[in-house]
């Protein structure tokens, strides 16, 4: 029979995102109900290797549901990509008598969790990344807040774009995924949306198409032209200059950057973090381990970690159509 889980650890890893604190809070509060002890690992896998552990109880997680960032700190840790680093992390957990580890992060962090599982550590992953690129889940914690932050910023840029009758190209985050760009493109009513999933790599052709579109919208009397560019395409300043040179219309580039990663989590992200954090601990309490928690058709579910990491997702075809994408 599986050994009962009495002592669990939790860490945050990879890029920070709004809702990480809310997820830690849900883990700690649910564990307290199940009479499990919780150890917080500071600074992600780096802190795991170092044994940078703190004890967490309900008081430690009060007044954090509304805060962005992560009070456990996060890190990227190259040492953990090596077998030696992974063994050192597993040894720290074993010597601290920890029965299972909850990893709060994105795909990379879950690869790390999978390596720990192979070394005999029981793991659960909670997807938190603004990029929304964890394949097994429809939504990751942090995405909703980041989209809303970017959308507000783009509304403001649009005011200036209209006043000065300029073209604006705005780069949003997302790494290799275009979810933030696609959502903002639709929610901000952008004229063009450039996402890596639909980009064939032909930059001159892309610039020709956007420039023709700019000239067309000017001819129809539009005083602004907003282009949302995904981080995965990049080259935002170069694209702006090329459009200006081709069309003769003043074109400004804005890279929103890290402001999308901070801030107080939205209601949706707080809710998702609370549900996923509680679900993760309940799975452990019932002896279900080595899973990634996910949202599937509006329900919280757990997928076996190896299966979850082999899944693939692409943006909804209907969304492509609604966005009127031109990058084909
Ligand atoms: P985000 O999507 O927000 O960037 P992430 O979890 O994908 O989050 P990464 O930087 O890819 O962020 O990964 C975080 C950490 O996970 C890495 O710094 C490394 O310590 C660990 N990690 C990533 N990939 C692996 C791997 N293949 N094997 C072991 N550990 C890994």
């Amino acid at each position: 029979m599986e050994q009962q889980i009495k002592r669990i650890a939790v860490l945050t890893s990879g890029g920070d995102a709004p809702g990480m604190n809310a997820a830690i809070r849900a883990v700690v509060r649910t564990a307290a109900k199940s009479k499990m002890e919780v150890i917080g690992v500071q600074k992600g896998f780096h802190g795991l290797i170092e044994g940078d552990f703190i004890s967490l109880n309900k008081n430690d997680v009060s007044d954090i549901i509304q805060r962005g960032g992560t009070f456990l700190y996060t890190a990227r840790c190259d040492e953990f990509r090596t077998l030696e680093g992974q063994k050192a992390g597993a040894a720290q957990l074993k010597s601290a008598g920890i029965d299972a580890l909850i990893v709060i992060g994105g795909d990379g962090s879950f690869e790390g969790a999978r390596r720990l599982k192979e070394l005999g550590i029981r793991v659960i992953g909670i997807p938190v990344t603004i990029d929304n690129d964890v394949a097994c889940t429809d939504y990751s914690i942090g995405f909703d807040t980041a989209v809303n932050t970017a959308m507000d910023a783009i509304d403001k840029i649009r005011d200036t774009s209209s006043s000065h009758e300029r073209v604006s190209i705005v780069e949003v985050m997302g790494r290799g995924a275009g979810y933030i760009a696609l959502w903002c493109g639709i929610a901000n009513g952008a004229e063009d949306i450039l996402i890596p999933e639909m980009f064939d790599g032909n930059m001159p052709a892309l610039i020709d198409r956007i420039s023709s579109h700019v000239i067309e919208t000017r001819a129809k009397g539009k005083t602004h032209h907003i282009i949302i560019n995904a981080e995965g395409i990049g080259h935002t300043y170069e694209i702006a200059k090329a459009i200006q040179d081709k069309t003769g219309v003043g074109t400004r580039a804005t890279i929103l950057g890290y402001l999308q990663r901070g801030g107080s989590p939205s209601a949706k992200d707080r809710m998702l973090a609370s549900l996923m954090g509680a679900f993760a601990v309940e799975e452990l309490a019932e002896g279900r381990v080595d899973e990634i928690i996910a949202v599937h058709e509006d329900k919280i579910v757990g997928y076996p970690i190896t299966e979850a990491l082999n899944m693939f997702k692409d943006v909804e075809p209907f969304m492509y159509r609604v966005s009127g994408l031109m990058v084909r």
Side-chain angles (χ1 to χ4, degrees), residues 13-15 45 76-77 80-81 86 106-109 111-112 115 129 131 175:
S13 168
F45 291 124
R76 306 214 192 250
C77 174
F80 201 74
R81 292 174 187 272
Q86 294 151 18
D107 268 339
S109 304
E111 281 297 341
R115 300 305 196 280
T129 168
D131 305 336
R175 294 228 276 192

Side-chain angles (χ1 to χ4, degrees), residues 76-259:
R76 306 214 192 250
C77 174
D78 285 337
E79 197 185 344
F80 201 74
R81 292 174 187 272
T82 67
L83 185 58
E84 292 69 41
Q86 294 151 18
K87 281 183 174 166
Q92 290 286 8
L93 290 167
K94 283 177 186 162
S95 75
I98 290 162
D99 303 315
L101 172 70
I102 296 180
V103 173
I104 299 175
D107 268 339
S109 304
F110 298 156
E111 281 297 341
R114 173 157 65 172
R115 300 305 196 280
L116 285 172
K117 168 192 166 317
E118 284 160 9
L119 295 172
I121 303 294
R122 286 175 282 201
V123 293
I124 295 264
I126 299 178
V128 185
T129 168
I130 64 165
D131 305 336
N132 204 31
D133 60 352
V134 175
C136 67
T137 185
D138 296 343
Y139 291 103
S140 295
I141 299 162
F143 172 67
D144 184 66
T145 309
V147 166
N148 278 288
T149 301
M151 184 189 72
D152 285 348
I154 295 163
D155 280 345
K156 294 182 170 94
I157 290 168
R158 179 200 278 269
D159 290 345
T160 285
S161 182
S162 299
S163 307
H164 289 268
E165 300 176 75
R166 280 181 193 143
V167 174
S168 272
I169 174 160
V170 186
E171 183 180 310
V172 297
M173 287 183 115
R175 294 228 276 192
Y179 290 100
I180 298 179
L182 186 61
W183 276 62
C184 284
I186 294 173
N188 289 103
E191 276 63 38
D192 291 298
I193 308 166
L194 317 181
I195 63 171
E197 291 88 341
M198 298 293 280
F199 180 48
D200 62 7
N202 187 342
M203 191 54 84
L206 172 67
I207 287 165
D208 278 349
R209 279 199 296 269
I210 302 174
S211 299
S212 306
H213 196 202
V214 167
I215 289 163
E216 206 181 291
T217 57
R218 288 283 132 163
K220 284 182 185 157
K222 267 199 178 176
T223 56
H224 63 268
H225 189 112
I226 305 287
I227 303 158
I228 313 291
N229 188 31
E231 184 182 10
I233 291 184
H235 307 289
T236 302
Y237 288 110
E238 288 90 334
I239 297 173
K241 182 169 184 318
I243 294 170
Q244 180 165 297
D245 290 349
K246 256 199 166 8
T247 61
V249 181
T251 303
R252 296 289 185 270
T254 307
I255 296 179
L256 294 183
Y258 283 149
L259 73 85

